[in-house]
Amino acid sequence: MSIPMISIRSLAKTFVLHTQGGTCIRAFDGVDLDVAAGECIALHGPSGAGKSSLLRSIYANYRPSAGSVVISHDGDGVDMTSALPRTILDVRRRSLGYVSQFLRVIPRVSCLDLVAERLTAMGVGLDEARDRAGRMLARLNIPERLWSLAPATFSGGEQQRINIARGFIRDYPILLLDEPTASLDGENRTTVVAMILEAKKRGAAVVGIFHDDDVRGRVADRCLQLNRPE
Amino acid sequence: MDAELLRVTGLTRYYGNRVGCRDVSFSLWPGEVLAIVGESGSGKSTLLSLLSGHLMPTRGEVSYRDRDGRWLSLAELSEADRRRLQRTDLGVVHQNPRDGLRMRVSAGGNIGERLMALGQRHYGRIRGSGLDWMERVELDPGRIDEHPSAFSGGMQQRLQIARNLVTSPRLVFMDEPTSGLDVSVQARLLDLLRHLVSSLGLAVVLVTHDLAVARILAHRMMVMRGGEVVETGLSDQVLDDPCHPYTQLLVSSILQA
Amino acid sequence: MNAEAMPGYNYAYLDEQTKGMIRRAILKAVAIPGYQVPFGSREMPLPYGWGTGGIQITASIIGPDDVLKVIDQGADDTTNAVSIRSFFARTAQVATTTTTEEATVIQTRHRIPEAPLKSGQILVYQVPIPEPLRFMEPSESETRTMHALEEYGVMHVKLYEDIAEHGRIATSYNYPVKVEDRYIMCPSPIPKFDNPKMDNCQALQLFGAGREKRIYAIPPHTRVKSLDFEDHPFEIQSWDEACSICGSRKSFLDEIITDDHGGRMFVCSDSDFCARRVREQEGT
């Protein structure tokens, strides 16, 4: 029995909104999950059930109220809920990729460089990084004339594809995908599905939120059902 | 993993009875950018002055690991050693570039001063470093003999950065480096800072009231209020999942463009 | 020393306590070559800017057996030099001379005599601004700290600026020097031509700034090095012309305009040196 790439135990997240009189919002509660290499888990449930929050909690973007998230990193398990900030950064740099729903744009940085950065941060030379980034963008149908532009003015679908390029440019052992095909048309959707299947084939563990039943059906091995907490 | 660069324990500074900052503790590693965020009076400027050795603590310690791996307590160094460290290993980028530049000395003279202070005596090589650094901070090297007053605010800020980085410091302190600049100029400066931090492996402690700047530049963030650190974590953690009531207030107050 | 010929005044004008204070400052200055020692500058019978610092030093060290020479820009016969010389003749009953070799104390403004000084002689310089860092750093407490911590980067910044602006180090007088590899010092507004004479000099050199209230010193046989860059080494001035009066090609020459048509002549600034050469040439 191989060691899971992700191992979640009793994970819970409650938001306390102090600016709104201390209202408590329970995002999710008591989540247990193991994800093996090459597996894809789809998080399923109605809107507001905490799917995005769970994904962000695995990434350590949200800090869980209880429980543990152990990520396999360099052969060791790192508990993201208690690791040092620099450890979390290292895990995100090398083991854990995340494709969010929204692209955070840095002013003046071209979309080519946004993607290439993921490689140069690992020590890949700038020219090679840009070359590989270009091929990734081309695969996702971002025309070359857009590569030198900052994506602030791109359409939602274009921004989403850049996000995806950033997530797949490196062979992350673990991938977290939040609605990766939400704003995409048929052809691009097919490309992304192919990319996910390739990732699985090379042994990546994937956890994703897939709105589209068809996409889910093609990539997911299992579903984790989340229900809106009372 | 490389070794810790800065270790701060229980750092406290009182001004008479008034708290400047209290019980601040953290560590910093090479290549990390830490943003200290807070409103006026939060203690962030006091903290920056304590960290850079320009103010002495009432209690607690700031320890810096030098290039030979020795731990030095900033407050216990002799004034000569501390000032030397401030010239070689540390850098300070002031909010107002006029505080960090010699306004009546040429750009080249400003950049070369630290080198001359360290004993470099070859005019040609000193000038060469000046030309090189002006290019690195995206200033026209042809303007090396001009005085800072001939440059715009954003350019003066970049000149200040070059002046500090010429001795390859390992730790740079920045106090609101982009405030007072036009938005487009800010963007350009942030871009430059991001590149320099990653290409030089600098550790940076950055004080800012601007959360957007913190998000773009910093890996880690500390939120200060009334002299105390109320929340700390990775930048994206603190900004996307603020836990402390004050942090939530700060984050919710950002105007969305 | 007793008050003799001048009723109501102490010997050499200053009272003994003041002389004691100045001598203590001088001793401290000699012990730390190039270091500026603060002293309680007194009111002298001539205004600030006219050599009050130099006069106070001379008054504190002079004795009836001394022979005093006073020069101003190298000349013994300018108004200022004449006034100061007769002042000491009256208040200290001291012999005076214009011959460099005969003097035991030489007070000077802005030049070092051409004739090499010997052991036993004292050269007293009049200094306007003693602080070499003042042009860069207006704060007194900061400049003191810089001297204490040997933070002299700004001095080379000034030279750098010269080269950047003029293509060479354009400073031609009051050229900064480093004394005994430690303190950077203002040599007073002597031409840089004279700087090498300060190095390893046999005489004691004392510097007095009356308005700024500082005394400093270079003991005999002290290393004094003018600041420069490896690729822009220190150079002294030279002339194409020789002195019109004595023919010297080795001394510092003043340029004198003789008429309105561009006529000019070059003459030794050191009047005693020039006159002696003329006497030697005429065989007298």
Side-chain angles (χ1 to χ4, degrees):
Chain A
M1 172 78 158
S2 56
I3 301 162
M5 301 292 280
I6 305 176
S7 190
I8 301 172
R9 292 286 174 270
S10 307
L11 201 64
K13 177 63 179 172
T14 300
F15 295 99
V16 181
L17 304 182
H18 297 283
T19 52
Q20 286 166 47
T23 319
C24 283
I25 298 188
R26 283 181 31 215
F28 55 84
D29 209 347
V31 172
D32 293 307
L33 179 65
D34 280 339
V35 186
E39 235 195 323
C40 174
I41 313 290
L43 301 182
H44 197 241
S47 142
K51 304 189 295 290
S52 273
S53 300
L54 177 57
L55 221 51
R56 284 174 181 253
S57 299
I58 298 173
Y59 195 60
N61 177 222
Y62 285 173
R63 291 171 281 191
S65 322
S68 64
V69 176
V70 178
I71 301 287
S72 172
H73 177 65
D74 282 348
D76 273 328
V78 172
D79 185 353
M80 300 288 269
T81 63
S82 58
L84 283 177
R86 61 190 274 95
T87 310
I88 297 177
L89 289 173
D90 195 47
V91 170
R92 289 179 180 177
R93 204 174 294 126
R94 295 192 288 125
S95 298
L96 189 54
Y98 175 53
V99 177
S100 67
Q101 260 187 306
F102 308 106
L103 177 65
R104 180 150 267 116
V105 176
I106 302 172
R108 289 194 2 136
V109 181
S110 69
C111 57
L112 185 73
D113 281 337
L114 272 179
V115 179
E117 247 174 28
R118 288 286 170 94
L119 293 176
T120 54
M122 296 301 306
V124 175
L126 186 60
D127 288 331
E128 187 195 333
R130 284 188 170 154
D131 190 52
R132 284 163 62 179
R135 280 184 271 131
M136 177 68 73
L137 289 177
R139 188 174 175 190
L140 288 162
N141 287 320
I142 303 282
E144 200 170 335
R145 61 181 167 78
L146 294 182
W147 291 359
S148 58
L149 301 180
T153 51
F154 290 5
S155 70
E158 283 164 343
Q159 290 195 359
Q160 181 62 318
R161 278 176 277 150
I162 297 186
N163 240 356
I164 290 165
R166 273 170 31 113
F168 282 83
I169 189 75
R170 245 187 68 68
D171 289 341
Y172 288 104
I174 305 172
L175 277 171
L176 306 174
L177 310 174
D178 194 341
E179 304 271 17
T181 59
S183 332
L184 303 184
D185 62 22
E187 187 198 337
N188 286 315
R189 216 179 305 140
T190 308
T191 308
V192 173
V193 166
M195 287 166 72
I196 297 173
L197 293 174
E198 282 160 26
K200 282 177 66 178
K201 199 144 167 243
R202 62 167 170 82
V206 181
V207 180
I209 302 167
F210 308 101
H211 204 75
D212 189 298
D213 292 333
D214 177 54
V215 168
R216 194 185 326 121
R218 285 197 274 163
V219 304
D221 300 304
R222 287 191 282 141
C223 278
L224 178 69
Q225 184 74 20
L226 290 175
N227 292 311
R228 210 181 282 130
E230 313 80 44
Chain B
M1 285 225 172
D2 15 355
E4 218 175 329
L5 187 62
L6 184 71
R7 192 185 292 161
V8 178
T9 39
L11 195 59
T12 302
R13 166 78 192 198
Y14 280 93
Y15 298 104
N17 283 333
R18 197 164 56 81
V19 173
C21 72
R22 180 165 41 205
D23 284 327
V24 179
S25 303
F26 66 91
S27 288
L28 195 67
W29 275 262
E32 284 190 342
V33 179
L34 169 69
I36 303 175
V37 169
E39 298 175 308
S40 327
S42 59
K44 56 191 201 292
S45 295
T46 299
L47 180 56
L48 200 70
S49 297
L50 288 166
L51 295 176
S52 60
H54 288 95
L55 196 60
M56 291 296 112
T58 312
R59 264 195 330 261
E61 215 175 64
V62 178
S63 300
Y64 167 77
R65 190 198 287 257
D66 72 9
R67 293 177 209 255
D68 298 321
R70 284 173 312 168
W71 280 105
L72 306 170
S73 165
L74 279 192
E76 282 168 26
L77 287 177
S78 68
E79 192 179 355
D81 286 339
R82 189 167 45 245
R83 283 168 74 124
R84 192 173 316 120
L85 197 69
Q86 285 166 341
R87 266 201 305 277
T88 55
D89 284 34
L90 308 179
V92 175
V93 177
H94 298 265
Q95 181 169 1
N96 188 341
R98 286 160 181 263
D99 293 332
L101 291 172
R102 294 202 187 269
M103 299 305 286
R104 289 176 307 151
V105 169
S106 70
N110 265 289
I111 297 175
E113 183 178 345
R114 278 193 177 197
L115 298 175
M116 290 184 254
L118 290 176
Q120 278 204 32
R121 291 288 175 261
H122 193 278
Y123 173 81
R125 281 200 288 270
I126 293 167
R127 189 177 175 81
S129 297
L131 292 167
D132 178 44
W133 271 101
M134 285 185 76
E135 277 199 38
R136 293 222 243 175
V137 298
E138 294 173 29
L139 289 171
D140 174 12
R143 301 183 69 180
I144 188 172
D145 295 323
E146 292 183 34
H147 286 210
S149 46
F151 293 82
S152 68
M155 292 188 215
Q156 285 177 358
Q157 201 56 301
R158 280 183 269 147
L159 184 58
Q160 203 197 160
I161 290 168
R163 179 178 153 88
N164 272 281
L165 295 185
V166 70
T167 48
S168 304
R170 299 159 78 221
L171 178 54
V172 178
F173 300 98
M174 298 192 195
D175 189 356
E176 309 270 11
T178 59
S179 76
L181 301 176
D182 291 339
V183 173
S184 59
V185 175
Q186 274 196 39
R188 196 164 166 200
L189 190 66
L190 287 176
D191 207 24
L192 173 70
L193 288 172
R194 269 170 23 101
H195 276 128
L196 288 173
V197 167
S198 73
S199 64
L200 300 175
L202 287 179
V204 176
V205 179
L206 159 75
V207 159
T208 181
H209 65 276
D210 188 337
L211 297 179
V213 168
R215 189 192 280 277
I216 291 175
L217 274 186
H219 308 102
R220 295 167 54 189
M221 235 168 93
M222 272 179 9
V223 181
M224 286 193 77
R225 183 194 193 206
E228 305 206 332
V229 177
V230 299
E231 190 158 353
T232 178
L234 295 174
S235 306
D236 65 288
Q237 286 175 342
V238 175
L239 291 170
D240 292 339
D241 183 21
C243 294
H244 190 274
Y246 178 66
T247 317
Q248 291 185 357
L249 181 63
L250 265 190
V251 171
S252 65
S253 309
I254 309 173
L255 298 173
Q256 297 298 330
Chain C
M1 299 300 130
N2 302 318
E4 284 269 3
M6 293 216 51
Y9 285 97
N10 198 34
Y11 180 81
Y13 186 81
L14 291 177
D15 58 274
E16 292 306 308
Q17 281 74 28
T18 299
K19 288 190 205 172
M21 177 269 296
I22 292 175
R23 289 168 188 159
R24 279 192 290 276
I26 293 174
L27 282 178
K28 207 183 266 186
V30 169
I32 314 172
Y35 170 72
Q36 299 165 53
V37 180
F39 79 105
S41 181
R42 297 287 187 252
E43 272 195 18
M44 298 299 287
L46 76 177
Y48 288 140
W50 290 77
T52 54
I55 287 179
Q56 287 178 81
I57 289 183
T58 301
S60 304
I61 61 174
I62 204 155
D65 297 333
D66 278 303
V67 180
L68 176 68
K69 171 178 162 83
V70 184
I71 48 172
D72 182 346
Q73 304 267 49
D76 300 86
D77 56 358
T78 66
T79 311
N80 217 31
V82 168
S83 297
I84 295 174
R85 197 166 56 241
S86 61
F87 171 80
F88 282 112
R90 285 176 69 198
T91 59
Q93 296 91 54
V94 72
T96 65
T97 180
T98 58
T99 308
T100 307
E101 290 84 350
E102 287 174 14
T104 58
V105 177
I106 302 168
Q107 181 167 330
T108 176
R109 175 177 170 271
H110 300 352
R111 279 242 47 219
I112 299 179
E114 303 290 346
L117 299 175
K118 290 198 282 299
S119 166
Q121 291 183 300
I122 301 178
L123 186 59
V124 178
Y125 296 75
Q126 294 170 206
V127 181
I129 306 278
E131 177 51 73
L133 303 171
R134 184 63 64 226
F135 70 98
M136 272 294 188
E137 182 52 67
S139 158
E140 169 70 18
S141 51
E142 181 61 20
T143 51
R144 287 205 206 181
T145 306
M146 289 162 84
H147 281 292
L149 302 179
E150 214 173 335
E151 289 184 2
Y152 289 133
V154 278
M155 286 311 307
H156 275 90
V157 172
K158 169 153 204 288
L159 300 180
Y160 170 98
E161 293 292 291
D162 262 2
I163 301 173
E165 192 174 344
H166 304 289
R168 56 187 180 80
I169 299 177
T171 308
S172 59
Y173 65 93
N174 210 357
Y175 194 105
V177 296
K178 197 153 206 213
V179 179
E180 204 64 10
D181 253 326
R182 179 54 182 89
Y183 283 96
I184 288 191
M185 189 197 93
C186 246
S188 84
I190 57 176
K192 64 176 180 175
F193 181 87
D194 284 341
N195 276 23
K197 302 188 179 83
M198 291 190 292
D199 183 34
N200 199 28
C201 180
Q202 290 187 29
L204 169 65
Q205 301 170 76
L206 300 178
F207 298 78
R211 176 183 49 208
E212 295 295 313
K213 308 176 181 19
R214 297 282 183 276
I215 287 175
Y216 45 105
I218 300 176
H221 301 292
T222 301
R223 255 173 57 83
V224 177
K225 189 171 178 312
S226 300
L227 303 185
D228 60 8
F229 283 100
E230 287 164 17
D231 49 340
H232 287 266
F234 173 74
E235 273 170 5
I236 60 174
Q237 295 111 319
S238 61
W239 289 259
D240 295 328
E241 300 81 357
C243 171
S244 309
I245 298 180
C246 74
S248 165
R249 286 196 169 273
K250 296 242 184 81
S251 54
F252 187 86
L253 301 180
D254 285 334
E255 184 177 351
I256 299 176
I257 312 290
T258 48
D259 55 41
D260 287 333
H261 310 295
R264 64 192 65 217
M265 63 186 223
F266 288 83
V267 167
C268 284
S269 130
D270 187 334
S271 53
D272 173 55
F273 175 80
C274 196
R276 159 188 270 255
R277 277 177 59 88
V278 166
R279 282 198 304 274
E280 282 170 4
Q281 282 155 23
E282 288 171 357
T284 50

